[in-house]
Amino acid sequence: MTYRDLRKLFHDPAADADGAYESRFNDPRTLHLDTMVSGAPAFVFMAPEIYEAMLEAARLDKEILKLELSLPGRALESYRDSCLIDEIVLTNEIEGVRSTRREIGEVLERLRENDRNGRFLGIVQKYALLESRSPVATETCPDIRAIYDDLVLAEVRAADPGNVPDGRYFRRGVVHVVDQAGIPIHDGLEPESRIIEELDNALRLLNDDGVELLVRVALFHFLFGYIHPFYDGNGRTNRFISSYLIAQEYEPLVGLALSFAVKNDINKYYKAFTTCEHALNRGDLTPFVISFCEIIVQAMRNLRDSLVERRRAFEQCVTATDRLVPPESRDVAEVLATATLFSFEGISGINMARAVGISRQTLYKRLEPLKELGLVEAFKVGRKTHYALDRERLEALVAEAPLSPADPELS
């Protein structure tokens, strides 16, 4: 049965809204929070939908790990980079901040060469920590301010210096929280002393191991948005904290899929906020927890399906190139297939040579048979030439080429 929010029950003459509230609020399965939302004590009823989402997340996490282990190391590394880049582009886009995949990819590449210059450095550095599960402190208000400073402060200052936090940790002034259409939902909490008090309460919940991780991440995600501690950058900071904690509990790739899932279901995401912020919902945060958990589960499904499809395509490419190119060129063909299917912008000549463990001169010799077959696409990425496999040409050649006696299908 679909969980009905209290606001809907209040407007339904056939429903007993007061009875439903008392039943949920006093149920022994209900988790009570040390905060008020729109004038009512906040709580979450552990509805069946929440348990179903947690079980599905655990099952999908195992499937994702199995798929990761079935991929070549280079493929998985390239795919992680691609997911990281997409996550940053999308979390920026949700907040109306424009960034391109190439722009973020170049920052990531420079960062690995120890070049710490350029726009979006902070957010790329922070998200790169998810891959390695490096620790990020999320226990105190100074910790949250440190995340904000690393993640978005430079971008906020560049866009509007007036939005730089002007309090001890957070903002001193008023901020209006609006929905996707720009309609005000409520004002962020004030003064800063209250922001600190409420965020401390939310952080204690976030770090309470006695509460299931998805539930406490969902609740913190809501409370952070409700408190709205900064003038600008709240959404990006909030999603990073959620992504970080999810990457600690599940496969790190799952943490790099949150913004994609939110953007795909943005109406559901904002509706869950507005529902639980409404006074008639009487502090019941269950609808948000359900929606947030379902968004995470959908992110995991999307990730699993993407890995399945890319692995299938990779296997087909390798099988096809093994039939068409001489043995000495097959390792180069495999690297090209990996770059085409798992990275976002092919692969440069120098990185291809490194991946195979050969010199650039040897690489170009081994590329020649693939070029003669029309299988190599070359294009400029900045000043560098990148390469990819022409999959349409490959499929056409496979369709045309008869099997030779050496092909395994004939043996």
Side-chain angles (χ1 to χ4, degrees):
M1 182 177 177
T2 303
Y3 191 87
R4 296 185 69 192
D5 63 76
L6 290 169
R7 182 175 62 167
K8 284 184 180 177
L9 293 177
F10 178 84
H11 291 294
D12 184 352
D16 179 8
D18 289 336
Y21 172 77
E22 293 295 333
S23 174
R24 294 172 184 180
F25 190 83
N26 296 311
D27 193 287
R29 294 166 292 182
T30 292
L31 174 67
H32 296 271
L33 281 61
D34 294 330
T35 192
M36 306 281 283
V37 172
S38 299
F43 69 94
V44 58
F45 170 69
M46 293 298 291
E49 291 92 335
I50 297 173
Y51 289 107
E52 289 167 9
M54 290 191 296
L55 288 171
E56 181 69 357
R59 186 186 69 79
L60 287 165
D61 192 49
K62 291 179 181 178
E63 286 190 34
I64 290 166
L65 174 58
K66 187 176 179 181
L67 284 163
E68 289 177 342
L69 294 174
S70 72
L71 293 170
R74 285 194 302 269
L76 188 55
E77 183 180 340
S78 296
Y79 188 64
R80 282 175 179 154
D81 285 352
S82 184
C83 289
L84 184 152
I85 290 163
D86 283 342
E87 182 69 9
I88 293 172
V89 169
L90 286 167
T91 196
N92 282 338
E93 189 176 313
I94 290 169
E95 303 305 316
V97 177
R98 187 181 181 280
S99 55
T100 65
R101 299 181 84 209
R102 179 172 296 180
E103 191 174 16
I104 301 301
E106 288 174 351
V107 175
L108 182 61
E109 188 174 343
R110 289 200 305 270
L111 184 60
R112 287 175 176 161
E113 295 171 354
N114 214 27
D115 179 351
R116 300 178 183 276
N117 296 306
R119 192 182 177 204
F120 298 119
L121 173 66
I123 197 167
V124 173
Q125 281 183 302
K126 225 48 179 176
Y127 270 94
L129 296 176
L130 271 62
E131 297 183 54
S132 60
R133 286 181 167 150
S134 299
V136 176
T138 57
E139 297 177 353
T140 67
C141 286
D143 291 339
I144 300 304
R145 177 57 194 269
I147 290 171
Y148 176 90
D149 286 353
D150 290 345
L151 198 73
V152 297
L153 179 59
E155 293 303 312
V156 169
R157 180 180 285 117
D160 184 350
N163 283 334
V164 171
D166 52 4
R168 181 182 175 193
Y169 304 124
F170 308 115
R171 58 176 168 80
R172 289 189 300 178
V174 177
V175 67
H176 304 290
V177 183
V178 299
D179 63 16
Q180 189 184 14
I183 299 171
I185 302 169
H186 76 274
D187 291 340
L189 300 188
E190 57 171 319
E192 190 191 18
S193 58
R194 188 181 174 203
I195 292 174
I196 292 172
E197 178 185 1
E198 292 294 344
L199 203 49
D200 278 338
N201 290 337
L203 286 166
R204 278 194 293 275
L205 170 64
L206 183 64
N207 290 283
D208 183 353
D209 291 337
V211 180
E212 291 286 349
L213 179 115
L214 275 184
V215 174
R216 51 190 156 102
V217 170
L219 287 170
F220 181 83
H221 196 93
F222 173 84
L223 292 172
F224 191 96
Y226 183 77
I227 296 165
H228 230 67
F230 302 105
Y231 294 112
D232 187 22
N234 292 282
R236 284 168 286 172
T237 304
N238 200 7
R239 281 188 294 278
F240 171 78
I241 293 169
S242 296
S243 290
Y244 165 72
L245 291 163
I246 289 165
Q248 297 291 307
E249 178 80 3
Y250 301 101
E251 284 303 299
L253 274 176
V254 178
L256 296 173
L258 175 61
S259 293
F260 180 81
V262 166
K263 189 146 191 344
N264 272 0
D265 224 339
I266 197 74
N267 291 331
K268 178 178 182 176
Y269 178 71
Y270 283 120
K271 183 181 178 182
F273 270 111
T274 54
T275 293
C276 293
E277 287 165 344
H278 200 284
L280 289 177
N281 203 52
R282 301 173 72 173
D284 183 4
L285 305 187
T286 312
F288 186 88
V289 174
I290 292 172
S291 294
F292 189 86
C293 289
E294 289 175 348
I295 285 171
I296 297 301
V297 167
Q298 189 57 53
M300 297 175 84
R301 288 196 188 107
N302 293 340
L303 179 58
R304 177 206 54 195
D305 293 347
S306 174
L307 286 169
V308 167
E309 172 58 26
R310 288 166 194 261
R311 184 184 67 175
R312 180 195 63 78
F314 174 74
E315 290 170 350
Q316 289 177 342
C317 284
V318 171
T319 299
T321 54
D322 281 355
R323 284 176 52 187
L324 295 167
V325 303
E328 63 270 16
S329 294
R330 289 173 186 168
D331 52 358
V332 172
E334 183 176 331
V335 171
L336 275 176
T338 300
T340 304
L341 292 163
F342 294 96
S343 68
F344 80 101
E345 240 176 5
I347 186 169
S348 67
I350 191 168
N351 286 335
M352 194 170 5
R354 285 173 183 166
V356 182
I358 56 178
S359 68
R360 294 280 291 277
Q361 186 177 5
T362 303
L363 169 70
Y364 294 132
K365 287 180 181 178
R366 294 189 187 179
L367 270 176
E368 203 53 42
L370 285 89
K371 287 182 177 179
E372 290 174 0
L373 290 167
L375 293 175
V376 180
E377 293 182 330
F379 48 92
K380 285 289 185 181
V381 177
R383 296 180 179 179
K384 295 180 180 178
T385 300
H386 279 221
Y387 301 90
L389 200 63
D390 187 330
R391 292 177 62 194
E392 288 187 8
R393 175 65 177 161
L394 180 61
E395 290 171 5
L397 286 174
V398 169
E400 295 169 4
L403 294 174
S404 70
D407 283 323
E409 290 93 337
L410 294 183
S411 51

